[in-house]
Amino acid sequence: MKVILVIIALICVPSLSKADTIDVWHVYYNQRLIQDFNAYSANEIVLKMDSIQPGDSITVRYYRDTPCYDCETFLNVESAKHMVFLTSSQKGTFTPISISIDQLVQIKNERYKQPLSVFYFEGKLERRSDKILLFRIRFE
């Protein structure tokens, strides 16, 4: 009898828990992985001004369990009040999207001194809640 109860418990207990996956994204600086993030990470990247070279870039590879292969995917670089400074796009969820460090430095030098926020979204942006905050960029 105890064996039957143990077998029933082993069968029923896992079905009571919800299986869930979280989105992850990898951030590369000039093709070198610098950070792995998810929704529970401390999402900040610090760029040292004295180590930035012309032509440097940040590339994001976004992964989720329900990808789309033919939709437009976007990265927005925004202010804290959601003013869009820069947008970069590709096609498909797993396709890497790059942004130029030169353009980020120009934004920092000309207009905006606070950390820049990088958001990801797919398709047409209808609501602000459709965007996912990936990380913030701070310059030192």
Side-chain angles (χ1 to χ4, degrees):
M1 184 67 175
K2 288 182 182 179
V3 173
I4 294 172
L5 290 175
V6 169
I7 292 172
I8 291 172
L10 289 175
I11 293 171
C12 294
V13 170
S15 66
L16 295 176
S17 65
K18 278 189 165 180
D20 192 15
T21 59
I22 58 172
D23 298 355
V24 296
W25 47 96
H26 299 201
V27 180
Y28 298 83
Y29 189 96
N30 292 339
Q31 314 305 324
R32 186 178 59 92
L33 180 66
I34 58 170
Q35 287 285 349
D36 288 329
F37 291 124
N38 62 46
Y40 305 110
S41 307
N43 301 346
E44 183 173 78
I45 293 175
V46 177
L47 299 177
K48 307 277 186 197
M49 289 298 294
D50 57 350
S51 65
I52 294 174
Q53 301 295 318
D56 285 355
S57 66
I58 289 180
T59 302
V60 175
R61 293 190 72 128
Y62 190 85
Y63 302 95
R64 64 184 184 138
D65 63 340
T66 57
C68 68
Y69 297 100
D70 59 350
C71 64
E72 289 288 322
T73 56
F74 299 90
L75 286 182
N76 271 3
V77 178
E78 303 180 5
S79 70
K81 296 190 180 205
H82 301 287
M83 183 172 89
V84 178
F85 293 127
L86 177 65
T87 299
S88 186
S89 67
Q90 281 292 348
K91 196 165 204 77
T93 302
F94 299 145
T95 307
I97 307 173
S98 296
I99 51 179
S100 167
I101 300 293
D102 296 335
Q103 290 176 313
L104 296 177
V105 170
Q106 183 179 358
I107 291 166
K108 177 207 169 291
N109 290 340
E110 292 179 3
R111 300 183 262 184
Y112 198 71
K113 305 298 181 193
Q114 297 177 5
L116 299 169
S117 299
V118 179
F119 289 89
Y120 174 86
F121 64 96
E122 296 176 351
K124 184 179 177 187
L125 185 62
E126 296 178 7
R127 296 178 306 273
R128 192 179 315 169
S129 62
D130 293 339
K131 299 185 295 186
I132 299 164
L133 175 62
L134 299 182
F135 53 89
R136 288 189 172 82
I137 298 174
R138 187 168 45 89
F139 291 94
E140 287 185 349

